[in-house]
Amino acid sequence: MSLDRTVQKPIDALAAYLVGDMDAVNTLIRTRMASEHAPRIPEVTAHLVEAGGKRLRPMLTLAAARMLGYQGEHHVRLAATVEFIHTATLLHDDVVDESAQRRGRPTANLLWDNKSSVLVGDYLFSRSFQLMVETGSLRVLDILSNASATIAEGEVLQLSAAQDLRTDEGIYMKVIRGKTAALFSAATEVGGVIAGAPEEQVKALFTYGDALGIAFQIVDDLLDYGGTSSVIGKNTGDDFRERKLTMPVIKAVAQASAEERDFWRRVIEKGDQRDGDLEHAMSLMARHGTMEATREEALRWAAEAKTALDALPAHDLRDMLRDLADYVVARVK
Amino acid sequence: MSLDRTVQKPIDALAAYLVGDMDAVNTLIRTRMASEHAPRIPEVTAHLVEAGGKRLRPMLTLAAARMLGYQGEHHVRLAATVEFIHTATLLHDDVVDESAQRRGRPTANLLWDNKSSVLVGDYLFSRSFQLMVETGSLRVLDILSNASATIAEGEVLQLSAAQDLRTDEGIYMKVIRGKTAALFSAATEVGGVIAGAPEEQVKALFTYGDALGIAFQIVDDLLDYGGTSSVIGKNTGDDFRERKLTMPVIKAVAQASAEERDFWRRVIEKGDQRDGDLEHAMSLMARHGTMEATREEALRWAAEAKTALDALPAHDLRDMLRDLADYVVARVK
């Protein structure tokens, strides 16, 4: 099946190519969300799972497995696993961030409460774990259990790094590898593992997912200062108000004059934020060119993702994954 | 090694018998709590893990494996797994219950915050998952992933059953099987599985853990209305204030006169609680003999736990587990 990639967004091209598998994933997700004993669970999760997420992560697993000729059914279980882990993380993030909106809709923790978000997240995480066990692959279990630990570590690190001007790019990279890239790379890697691909191809899939995830998160952090609410359902400056140190700010702090440093100390460390501070922060980032420098880092990671694909056999899906890497960074052109 | 069980509490006798294994478990727990990237993690968990918990659940795993002649090292991993799952559950419970105290000390969510409790709980859960994977036993993974899902379902069910006078003993049993018995039964069952015990012995271990866990939770719920703060680090009436329907209340509601029903509706459903209401609730439970009836149910489950042990070979540890079942219910003599 060949698709005209020039008229479709890469994510839509992937969705069209993988439509049969994605239908199976969606059916499995709905079945496994259900709880005989606790009917509130699908209420909470349906809200998130049906909320128009792009299902990027499960598609990565399906694409990796199919590209390498996998003909079984475990890739569907693994794709659902990955989406469940992602959804569980979102539910817990909403509690942690005290978010009021996600994807332009009120978050579950406002509609229901923090309690449901915590417990239903736990439920989805357990469900994901059951799905992996059903594949019978200890290697897959190893990869996904390590990814889960890395995700949790990244989130804790983000918490302690927030409001701390000493947070540098090294810490930032650990945070985004944890909060984002770990699940991307596990998603692609397990697709290769379940397909029985040779080690060098599995490694290439890991590298692709890791680099794509990093590019994706850097762009997300950039959009937080430059995107519009309609693009990501988030308001500009959320990270600023939450005093998170993301790449454009870290780069601006590193180049700050003494006076600028006082500003950053007040708004980020002390949390004393006033009208006009966000605009001033953005003018400082513009002065030091940190938005542009951050965008260049994202482009570099997208290029690394594409290079990793060279180790994989030629395939329509490989082309789509290459386009996807471009698309992820095109959001900040 | 034989111990004089008449002078020791059964839990201390178990701890003495299993001291070498428990040292290994404690060392493993400390090692795996550590996070290279996020040093805050051991700060949060040490608070809980060192807080004088009795380590009952990991001892059940060790006892089951040793009783059946296991000579390997995976039982230590599984015992640490069980304790990590338990600790993760406690951390998330503290967020859910908005608790201020656990085991007589301030809870982690007050000392740090809800965010750390959620994320560090996730981290411990992921760590537990890594430990299980290291045993290489898919059956163990199956048992523990199912137990995790049952725990989460039980917690969600408890949330929706609270403040609802329609909660009956059937729902209550599902809740306590989830929140408590599922981990007890998984703890004993995986001990048998890792020891390679015959199916009927594995089944007996499951039944023992399930019945022990149920007896344990019924007693805990009873102590919430009759115990003293020094015994469990909880204040009498916590469940009442949180409007949880536990067995003594459910039995009292089932036998309530029209006037009594109005009282229960006000304090549990509407949450309109005034001075003297706890005392009045306890007088209603006394009037209908529901504390005594609840205690009898606990004794019945303890007896069932002991009966299950008959299917296991004679062993000092088997005797200690039998004494443990008596001890659990002796807390409400």
Side-chain angles (χ1 to χ4, degrees):
Chain A
M1 179 177 173
S2 177
L3 289 159
D4 183 351
R5 305 197 317 271
T6 59
V7 297
Q8 272 186 311
K9 284 184 189 170
I11 196 157
D12 296 331
L14 273 169
Y17 192 100
L18 297 165
V19 65
D21 281 350
M22 276 309 294
D23 282 350
V25 170
N26 288 330
T27 301
L28 186 60
I29 285 175
R30 270 189 211 95
T31 311
R32 297 304 178 92
M33 269 194 326
S35 161
E36 187 196 339
H37 300 317
R40 176 179 282 189
I41 290 174
E43 270 177 53
V44 175
T45 50
H47 172 72
L48 256 185
V49 174
E50 310 291 342
K54 293 178 295 296
R55 300 269 209 277
L56 175 56
R57 293 158 189 81
M59 281 203 287
L60 290 175
T61 301
L62 298 175
R66 286 298 193 192
M67 180 168 56
L68 296 167
Y70 183 63
Q71 296 294 328
E73 290 177 351
H74 288 323
H75 67 317
V76 169
R77 288 193 181 90
L78 291 174
T81 294
V82 163
E83 185 69 3
F84 272 170
I85 294 176
H86 176 55
T87 308
T89 310
L90 293 184
L91 280 167
H92 287 184
D93 274 357
D94 286 343
V95 178
V96 169
D97 288 348
E98 292 152 14
S99 316
Q101 281 216 337
R102 167 157 327 263
R103 292 177 186 157
R105 299 170 62 166
T107 57
N109 69 322
L110 275 195
L111 282 184
W112 288 274
D113 48 34
N114 274 344
K115 301 176 184 193
S116 299
S117 293
V118 172
L119 297 179
V120 175
D122 289 350
Y123 176 73
L124 291 183
F125 194 56
S126 304
R127 282 301 211 194
S128 77
F129 181 12
Q130 288 177 311
L131 278 165
M132 302 176 223
V133 172
E134 288 172 24
T135 69
S137 163
L138 283 166
R139 176 142 179 221
V140 153
L141 284 157
D142 186 47
I143 292 166
L144 285 164
S145 64
N146 290 336
S148 297
T150 304
I151 292 168
E153 277 181 294
E155 301 265 6
V156 176
L157 183 61
Q158 172 170 267
L159 206 56
S160 55
Q163 311 174 15
D164 186 345
L165 285 189
R166 291 168 305 180
T167 300
D168 59 18
E169 292 193 38
I171 295 172
Y172 172 76
M173 288 305 294
K174 279 186 193 169
V175 168
I176 69 172
R177 271 216 155 85
K179 68 185 270 195
T180 307
L183 193 55
F184 276 67
S185 58
T188 47
E189 188 179 9
V190 296
V193 167
I194 208 73
E199 278 315 299
E200 65 171 69
Q201 295 185 1
V202 171
K203 196 164 178 299
L205 284 166
F206 170 89
T207 304
Y208 171 79
D210 180 58
L212 184 75
I214 291 170
F216 183 93
Q217 187 59 51
I218 293 176
V219 167
D220 225 47
D221 291 343
L222 205 44
L223 285 172
D224 203 77
Y225 285 101
T228 60
S229 183
S230 66
V231 175
I232 44 163
K234 252 177 135 179
N235 301 316
T236 301
D238 275 356
D239 289 342
F240 181 76
R241 278 182 290 274
E242 290 167 24
R243 301 148 70 190
K244 281 184 191 163
L245 284 133
T246 58
M247 193 182 275
V249 173
I250 291 168
K251 286 181 183 295
V253 171
Q255 299 172 66
S257 67
E259 188 191 338
E260 290 172 10
R261 222 184 142 72
D262 287 342
F263 168 77
W264 291 116
R265 201 168 285 129
R266 172 170 66 76
V267 296
I268 299 290
E269 287 202 339
K270 296 190 185 142
D272 171 13
Q273 296 191 1
R274 306 164 194 168
D275 280 353
D277 280 347
L278 174 61
E279 292 72 13
H280 186 59
M282 290 174 70
S283 78
L284 295 183
M285 292 189 271
R287 180 182 302 168
H288 295 294
T290 68
M291 300 290 281
E292 187 50 35
T294 299
R295 184 173 162 268
E296 275 161 24
E297 293 256 17
L299 290 172
R300 200 171 59 73
W301 282 105
E304 182 150 330
K306 288 190 289 180
T307 303
L309 294 173
D310 293 344
L312 297 166
H315 197 287
D316 281 346
L317 283 165
R318 190 182 71 160
D319 296 338
M320 291 177 204
L321 290 181
R322 183 171 280 131
D323 293 347
L324 181 65
D326 285 328
Y327 173 67
V328 158
V329 286
R331 294 189 295 159
V332 281
K333 251 182 197 146
Chain B
M1 177 178 173
S2 177
L3 289 159
D4 182 353
R5 304 195 319 271
T6 58
V7 297
Q8 272 186 312
K9 283 184 190 171
I11 196 156
D12 296 331
L14 273 169
Y17 192 100
L18 297 165
V19 65
D21 281 349
M22 275 308 295
D23 282 349
V25 171
N26 288 329
T27 302
L28 187 59
I29 285 174
R30 271 189 210 95
T31 312
R32 298 304 178 91
M33 271 195 324
S35 162
E36 186 196 340
H37 300 318
R40 175 178 284 189
I41 289 175
E43 270 178 54
V44 175
T45 50
H47 172 70
L48 256 185
V49 174
E50 311 291 342
K54 294 177 296 295
R55 300 268 207 277
L56 175 56
R57 292 157 189 81
M59 281 204 287
L60 291 175
T61 301
L62 298 175
R66 286 296 192 193
M67 180 168 53
L68 296 167
Y70 183 63
Q71 296 295 329
E73 290 177 353
H74 288 323
H75 67 317
V76 169
R77 289 193 181 89
L78 290 175
T81 294
V82 163
E83 185 68 2
F84 271 172
I85 293 176
H86 176 57
T87 307
T89 310
L90 292 185
L91 280 167
H92 286 184
D93 274 357
D94 286 343
V95 177
V96 169
D97 288 348
E98 292 151 12
S99 318
Q101 280 215 339
R102 164 154 333 260
R103 291 176 186 157
R105 300 171 61 165
T107 57
N109 69 322
L110 275 195
L111 282 184
W112 288 273
D113 47 33
N114 273 344
K115 301 177 185 193
S116 298
S117 294
V118 172
L119 297 178
V120 175
D122 290 350
Y123 176 73
L124 291 184
F125 194 56
S126 303
R127 282 300 210 194
S128 78
F129 181 14
Q130 288 177 311
L131 279 165
M132 301 175 225
V133 172
E134 287 172 26
T135 68
S137 163
L138 282 165
R139 177 142 179 220
V140 153
L141 285 156
D142 186 46
I143 292 166
L144 286 164
S145 65
N146 290 337
S148 296
T150 304
I151 292 168
E153 277 181 294
E155 301 264 8
V156 176
L157 183 60
Q158 172 171 267
L159 206 55
S160 55
Q163 310 172 18
D164 186 346
L165 285 190
R166 290 168 306 179
T167 300
D168 59 19
E169 291 194 37
I171 295 172
Y172 173 76
M173 288 304 295
K174 280 185 191 169
V175 168
I176 70 172
R177 271 218 156 85
K179 68 185 270 195
T180 307
L183 192 55
F184 275 66
S185 58
T188 46
E189 188 179 9
V190 297
V193 166
I194 209 73
E199 278 314 300
E200 64 171 69
Q201 295 184 2
V202 171
K203 197 165 176 299
L205 284 167
F206 170 88
T207 304
Y208 171 80
D210 179 58
L212 184 76
I214 291 170
F216 183 92
Q217 188 58 51
I218 293 175
V219 167
D220 225 46
D221 291 343
L222 206 45
L223 284 171
D224 203 76
Y225 284 100
T228 61
S229 183
S230 65
V231 175
I232 46 164
K234 251 178 138 181
N235 301 316
T236 302
D238 275 356
D239 289 342
F240 181 77
R241 279 181 289 275
E242 289 168 24
R243 300 148 69 191
K244 281 184 190 163
L245 284 132
T246 58
M247 193 181 275
V249 173
I250 291 169
K251 285 182 184 294
V253 171
Q255 299 172 65
S257 66
E259 189 191 339
E260 289 172 10
R261 221 183 144 72
D262 286 343
F263 168 77
W264 291 117
R265 201 169 285 130
R266 172 170 66 76
V267 296
I268 299 290
E269 287 202 339
K270 296 189 185 141
D272 171 12
Q273 297 190 0
R274 305 165 195 168
D275 280 353
D277 280 348
L278 174 61
E279 291 72 12
H280 185 60
M282 289 173 72
S283 77
L284 295 183
M285 293 189 273
R287 179 182 303 167
H288 295 296
T290 68
M291 301 289 282
E292 187 49 36
T294 299
R295 185 173 161 266
E296 275 160 24
E297 293 257 15
L299 289 173
R300 200 170 60 73
W301 282 104
E304 181 150 331
K306 289 192 287 180
T307 303
L309 294 173
D310 293 343
L312 297 167
H315 197 288
D316 281 347
L317 283 165
R318 190 183 70 160
D319 296 338
M320 290 178 202
L321 291 181
R322 184 171 281 133
D323 292 347
L324 181 65
D326 285 328
Y327 173 67
V328 157
V329 285
R331 294 189 295 159
V332 281
K333 253 184 196 147

